[in-house]
Amino acid sequence: MSAKDTDWDGVRLHVVTGKGGTGKTTVAAALALALAAGGRKVLLVEVEGRQGIAQLFDCPPLPYEERRVAVAPDGGDVYALAIDTEEALIEYLEMFYNLKRAGKAMTRLGVVDFVTAIAPGLRDVILTGKTSEAVRRRDSSGAFVYDAVVMDAPPTGRITKFLNVNEEVSGLAKVGPIRNHADTVMRVVRSPETAVHFVTLLEEMPVQETMDGVAELRAAGLPVGGVIINMEHPPMLDDDALAAAAEGALDPDAVVRGLKAAGLEHGAESIAAVLTAEAAEHARRTALQRREKRRLETLDRPRYVLPLLPDGMDLAGLYDLAQALREQGAA
């Protein structure tokens, strides 16, 4: 699939957020693979210091440098960067205040902790600034170094505050390097080249947080991308059977007869009881998923569905999720 056929044509910074437990880091990694497919170069950025990217790609903990972690389908490379807040602050001080080696001494004196404690907004400026610099970076020929950048961002409840760095530093600096840097970051974040994607499960709380997060971003004038439904449980029964299971109307004798016909004579009655209970639970979950899907439709944003992987998450599963995103036009 070519870039011009995607729903996110022209987007170069993909910010991925979601409620804890929805799999946002996994989805961010799958999205990076999908975007890199076909010979593109993508940077995957982690800002929370959990080394989740290294675990997903089955590699050692990432140093504070951009390092290739995967080859995408049909060629293309995924690079990863785990931002170290302390190192990034030192870079920031050297770049804007010409402190150079003094920055190293500052870490020993605990000044880094002091600075981020008295000016917590500065930490977010540094993290978003490092990412936006990668978006803007060009090589000697004038071409962008990366075709796209994917940020594994903080959870939904913090995403608006994290991205709206101008608001965060308004009381910290009216002019000067911090203000100029924040303005540069916001030009990237607010541009049509940025999209904030929400990862959710088809459960009440993650869906509600997604809806609240979308509303907050829109109110702040920040760009909302797509909604990525992760780990959808496929229905195992047809609609009639689901309705019967939900109402407790499955005929246990019919289940017993089916088990015996399949050669399961011993313990057929007890197995039938377990299967009937599981069918009722499956019907409940399927009804919940359908209801929450209808709620998400009211957001009027592109939606992408990733399946529950029966064998759990591993590197092969990550490539499967990337392929699912590509097939749905997300990359």
Side-chain angles (χ1 to χ4, degrees):
M1 179 179 295
S2 66
K4 67 180 180 180
D5 295 325
T6 71
D7 288 337
W8 300 335
D9 183 22
V11 176
R12 300 193 62 253
L13 174 57
H14 298 264
V15 179
V16 180
T17 185
K19 178 178 169 57
T22 59
K24 72 177 178 64
T25 299
T26 299
V27 171
L31 177 58
L33 278 170
L35 291 167
R40 305 177 84 213
K41 185 177 179 181
V42 173
L43 178 66
L44 176 60
V45 179
E46 181 177 64
V47 299
E48 294 185 284
R50 294 183 292 106
Q51 289 290 339
I53 293 173
Q55 295 174 33
L56 281 169
F57 287 101
D58 195 23
C59 62
L62 295 169
Y64 181 50
E65 63 182 43
E66 293 163 19
R67 177 170 293 186
R68 190 173 73 167
V69 293
V71 177
D74 305 321
D77 294 310
V78 174
Y79 284 72
L81 172 66
I83 299 180
D84 180 282
T85 306
E86 182 177 284
E87 292 288 340
L89 178 55
I90 291 170
E91 277 187 358
Y92 181 85
L93 295 173
E94 290 178 350
M95 183 182 304
F96 292 103
Y97 293 95
N98 199 31
L99 293 181
K100 300 189 182 302
R101 294 184 181 180
K104 299 292 184 181
M106 290 176 67
T107 64
R108 292 193 296 272
L109 296 172
V111 177
V112 169
D113 291 338
F114 176 70
V115 169
T116 54
I118 65 170
L122 181 58
R123 178 183 181 276
D124 291 347
V125 172
I126 291 167
L127 294 173
T128 53
K130 186 69 177 177
T131 304
S132 65
E133 181 278 325
V135 174
R136 303 191 316 272
R137 193 188 313 157
R138 295 177 184 267
D139 60 23
S140 58
S141 71
F144 286 116
V145 171
Y146 291 106
D147 295 291
V149 176
V150 178
M151 178 197 286
D152 176 21
T156 307
R158 207 170 81 78
I159 190 62
T160 301
K161 184 176 181 181
F162 175 77
L163 292 175
N164 201 16
V165 293
N166 255 355
E167 185 70 23
E168 288 302 295
V169 302
S170 61
L172 179 65
K174 302 297 184 184
V175 295
I178 294 177
R179 165 55 64 187
N180 293 339
H181 187 53
D183 289 344
T184 300
V185 170
M186 288 310 300
R187 280 195 292 272
V188 173
V189 170
R190 291 189 185 278
S191 78
E193 292 187 336
T194 295
V196 183
H197 311 302
F198 288 81
V199 181
T200 186
L201 305 179
L202 289 175
E203 298 173 2
E204 186 173 355
M205 288 186 63
V207 167
Q208 188 59 54
E209 281 207 17
T210 296
M211 298 182 74
D212 292 343
V214 168
E216 288 176 6
L217 279 185
R218 285 173 167 164
L222 297 170
V224 180
V227 174
I228 303 172
I229 298 167
N230 195 23
M231 295 187 280
E232 182 183 44
H233 294 247
M236 307 299 291
L237 302 171
D238 61 31
D239 286 349
D240 289 341
L242 285 170
E247 295 170 3
L250 284 179
D251 183 357
D253 292 334
V255 178
V256 170
R257 289 194 297 271
L259 289 170
K260 289 182 176 180
L264 295 174
E265 295 281 347
H266 181 68
E269 288 77 9
S270 60
I271 294 173
V274 171
L275 289 177
T276 301
E278 288 189 354
E281 173 59 24
H282 177 66
R284 184 202 66 78
R285 175 179 283 276
T286 300
L288 171 65
Q289 288 191 150
R290 290 176 175 176
R291 185 186 74 214
E292 296 306 320
K293 252 185 179 178
R294 290 192 293 270
R295 292 178 69 202
L296 291 172
E297 289 172 1
T298 65
L299 292 175
D300 191 28
R301 297 307 307 151
R303 290 180 304 282
Y304 311 91
V305 179
L306 298 178
L308 176 69
L309 298 176
D311 297 327
M313 176 51 61
D314 56 15
L315 193 54
L318 200 58
Y319 278 82
D320 289 342
L321 296 182
Q323 180 60 31
L325 286 171
R326 294 180 69 200
E327 290 174 352
Q328 294 175 70

